[in-house]
Amino acid sequence: MRGSAQLGAGDAAKRYDVFHTDCPARDMVDHVTSRWGIWVLISLRSKDLRFYELRESIQGISEKMLAQTLRALVRDEVVWRAVEPTTPPQVTYGLTEFGRHISEPLVELFDRITRHLPPPGAAGAG
């Protein structure tokens, strides 16, 4: 990880400018909040998963998009990747400590949304 976008008040001069297109923190925010990045973080919040388990847990994602999303999140040190040298190789993914920390607000957001929606099957429910 290249640094933190959140610094103390005394570190204001060192704060990343996330509104600037060249800011590394902006790239990380883009990866975490991408269409599939959010779902990967939510899927990994409770346990480590293998690639195929992740693909099955996130309906609608292609293998290509999952691989690209995971590559970016691993590069940003939000997700870790472990390869067991078997035939075929078994690849497992999980959240780093930083990944767990930044996924907490996403879990809270999803909880708030689902508490607000009417129960499944109720009139107007989707």
Side-chain angles (χ1 to χ4, degrees), residues 5 13 16 21 64 95-97 103-104 108 118:
Y16 284 104
T21 58
K64 178 182 176 183
L95 295 178
T96 63
E97 182 178 339
S103 70
E104 288 174 14
E108 176 62 25

PDB file of all heavy atoms in Angstrom, residues 5 13 16 21 64 95-97 103-104 108 118:
ATOM      1  N   ALA A   5      -5.157   7.688   2.868  1.00  0.00           N
ATOM      2  CA  ALA A   5      -5.861   8.913   2.503  1.00  0.00           C
ATOM      3  C   ALA A   5      -6.342   9.631   3.750  1.00  0.00           C
ATOM      4  O   ALA A   5      -6.678  10.799   3.694  1.00  0.00           O
ATOM      5  CB  ALA A   5      -7.053   8.598   1.599  1.00  0.00           C
ATOM      6  N   ALA A  13      -0.553  18.520   5.460  1.00  0.00           N
ATOM      7  CA  ALA A  13       0.320  18.788   4.318  1.00  0.00           C
ATOM      8  C   ALA A  13       0.658  17.501   3.571  1.00  0.00           C
ATOM      9  O   ALA A  13       0.963  17.532   2.386  1.00  0.00           O
ATOM     10  CB  ALA A  13       1.597  19.485   4.775  1.00  0.00           C
ATOM     11  N   TYR A  16      -3.266  12.933   0.944  1.00  0.00           N
ATOM     12  CA  TYR A  16      -3.431  12.693  -0.481  1.00  0.00           C
ATOM     13  C   TYR A  16      -4.535  13.573  -1.035  1.00  0.00           C
ATOM     14  O   TYR A  16      -5.530  13.825  -0.365  1.00  0.00           O
ATOM     15  CB  TYR A  16      -3.795  11.224  -0.734  1.00  0.00           C
ATOM     16  CG  TYR A  16      -2.618  10.289  -0.612  1.00  0.00           C
ATOM     17  CD1 TYR A  16      -2.465   9.487   0.500  1.00  0.00           C
ATOM     18  CD2 TYR A  16      -1.676  10.215  -1.620  1.00  0.00           C
ATOM     19  CE1 TYR A  16      -1.396   8.626   0.613  1.00  0.00           C
ATOM     20  CE2 TYR A  16      -0.602   9.356  -1.519  1.00  0.00           C
ATOM     21  CZ  TYR A  16      -0.469   8.562  -0.397  1.00  0.00           C
ATOM     22  OH  TYR A  16       0.592   7.717  -0.312  1.00  0.00           O
ATOM     23  N   THR A  21      -6.293  13.431 -10.492  1.00  0.00           N
ATOM     24  CA  THR A  21      -6.314  12.188 -11.271  1.00  0.00           C
ATOM     25  C   THR A  21      -5.079  11.320 -11.075  1.00  0.00           C
ATOM     26  O   THR A  21      -5.143  10.112 -11.306  1.00  0.00           O
ATOM     27  CB  THR A  21      -6.472  12.486 -12.778  1.00  0.00           C
ATOM     28  OG1 THR A  21      -5.400  13.327 -13.196  1.00  0.00           O
ATOM     29  CG2 THR A  21      -7.814  13.132 -13.063  1.00  0.00           C
ATOM     30  N   LYS A  64     -13.444 -13.400 -16.098  1.00  0.00           N
ATOM     31  CA  LYS A  64     -12.505 -12.349 -16.505  1.00  0.00           C
ATOM     32  C   LYS A  64     -12.607 -11.136 -15.579  1.00  0.00           C
ATOM     33  O   LYS A  64     -11.593 -10.622 -15.107  1.00  0.00           O
ATOM     34  CB  LYS A  64     -12.782 -11.928 -17.950  1.00  0.00           C
ATOM     35  CG  LYS A  64     -11.893 -10.808 -18.440  1.00  0.00           C
ATOM     36  CD  LYS A  64     -12.249 -10.400 -19.851  1.00  0.00           C
ATOM     37  CE  LYS A  64     -11.403  -9.203 -20.288  1.00  0.00           C
ATOM     38  NZ  LYS A  64     -11.782  -8.743 -21.616  1.00  0.00           N
ATOM     39  N   LEU A  95      -9.389 -11.138   2.990  1.00  0.00           N
ATOM     40  CA  LEU A  95      -9.159  -9.721   3.237  1.00  0.00           C
ATOM     41  C   LEU A  95      -7.921  -9.540   4.107  1.00  0.00           C
ATOM     42  O   LEU A  95      -7.732 -10.263   5.084  1.00  0.00           O
ATOM     43  CB  LEU A  95     -10.355  -9.087   3.944  1.00  0.00           C
ATOM     44  CG  LEU A  95     -11.660  -9.027   3.167  1.00  0.00           C
ATOM     45  CD1 LEU A  95     -12.755  -8.417   4.035  1.00  0.00           C
ATOM     46  CD2 LEU A  95     -11.489  -8.230   1.893  1.00  0.00           C
ATOM     47  N   THR A  96      -7.090  -8.574   3.745  1.00  0.00           N
ATOM     48  CA  THR A  96      -5.985  -8.177   4.602  1.00  0.00           C
ATOM     49  C   THR A  96      -6.568  -7.421   5.793  1.00  0.00           C
ATOM     50  O   THR A  96      -7.767  -7.116   5.830  1.00  0.00           O
ATOM     51  CB  THR A  96      -5.005  -7.262   3.854  1.00  0.00           C
ATOM     52  OG1 THR A  96      -5.700  -6.055   3.497  1.00  0.00           O
ATOM     53  CG2 THR A  96      -4.432  -7.932   2.611  1.00  0.00           C
ATOM     54  N   GLU A  97      -5.743  -7.079   6.758  1.00  0.00           N
ATOM     55  CA  GLU A  97      -6.228  -6.280   7.884  1.00  0.00           C
ATOM     56  C   GLU A  97      -6.798  -4.958   7.368  1.00  0.00           C
ATOM     57  O   GLU A  97      -7.863  -4.513   7.798  1.00  0.00           O
ATOM     58  CB  GLU A  97      -5.096  -6.016   8.875  1.00  0.00           C
ATOM     59  CG  GLU A  97      -5.537  -5.245  10.088  1.00  0.00           C
ATOM     60  CD  GLU A  97      -4.418  -5.029  11.093  1.00  0.00           C
ATOM     61  OE1 GLU A  97      -3.418  -5.778  11.076  1.00  0.00           O
ATOM     62  OE2 GLU A  97      -4.553  -4.102  11.907  1.00  0.00           O
ATOM     63  N   SER A 103     -13.708  -2.551   4.649  1.00  0.00           N
ATOM     64  CA  SER A 103     -14.973  -3.197   4.290  1.00  0.00           C
ATOM     65  C   SER A 103     -16.047  -2.980   5.350  1.00  0.00           C
ATOM     66  O   SER A 103     -17.235  -3.134   5.063  1.00  0.00           O
ATOM     67  CB  SER A 103     -14.776  -4.688   4.036  1.00  0.00           C
ATOM     68  OG  SER A 103     -14.492  -5.377   5.232  1.00  0.00           O
ATOM     69  N   GLU A 104     -15.656  -2.606   6.572  1.00  0.00           N
ATOM     70  CA  GLU A 104     -16.636  -2.405   7.642  1.00  0.00           C
ATOM     71  C   GLU A 104     -17.717  -1.391   7.263  1.00  0.00           C
ATOM     72  O   GLU A 104     -18.901  -1.661   7.455  1.00  0.00           O
ATOM     73  CB  GLU A 104     -15.941  -1.989   8.939  1.00  0.00           C
ATOM     74  CG  GLU A 104     -15.178  -3.110   9.586  1.00  0.00           C
ATOM     75  CD  GLU A 104     -14.371  -2.662  10.793  1.00  0.00           C
ATOM     76  OE1 GLU A 104     -14.593  -1.538  11.287  1.00  0.00           O
ATOM     77  OE2 GLU A 104     -13.523  -3.442  11.228  1.00  0.00           O
ATOM     78  N   GLU A 108     -21.850  -2.046   6.836  1.00  0.00           N
ATOM     79  CA  GLU A 108     -22.843  -1.195   7.505  1.00  0.00           C
ATOM     80  C   GLU A 108     -23.792  -0.588   6.480  1.00  0.00           C
ATOM     81  O   GLU A 108     -25.004  -0.534   6.705  1.00  0.00           O
ATOM     82  CB  GLU A 108     -22.151  -0.098   8.315  1.00  0.00           C
ATOM     83  CG  GLU A 108     -23.106   0.886   8.966  1.00  0.00           C
ATOM     84  CD  GLU A 108     -24.064   0.269   9.976  1.00  0.00           C
ATOM     85  OE1 GLU A 108     -23.748  -0.788  10.548  1.00  0.00           O
ATOM     86  OE2 GLU A 108     -25.144   0.848  10.191  1.00  0.00           O
ATOM     87  N   PRO A 118     -38.507  -3.169   2.048  1.00  0.00           N
ATOM     88  CA  PRO A 118     -39.583  -4.045   2.539  1.00  0.00           C
ATOM     89  C   PRO A 118     -39.137  -5.504   2.440  1.00  0.00           C
ATOM     90  O   PRO A 118     -38.241  -5.829   1.653  1.00  0.00           O
ATOM     91  CB  PRO A 118     -40.748  -3.742   1.585  1.00  0.00           C
ATOM     92  CG  PRO A 118     -40.143  -3.099   0.394  1.00  0.00           C
ATOM     93  CD  PRO A 118     -38.852  -2.471   0.829  1.00  0.00           C
TER      94      PRO A 118
END
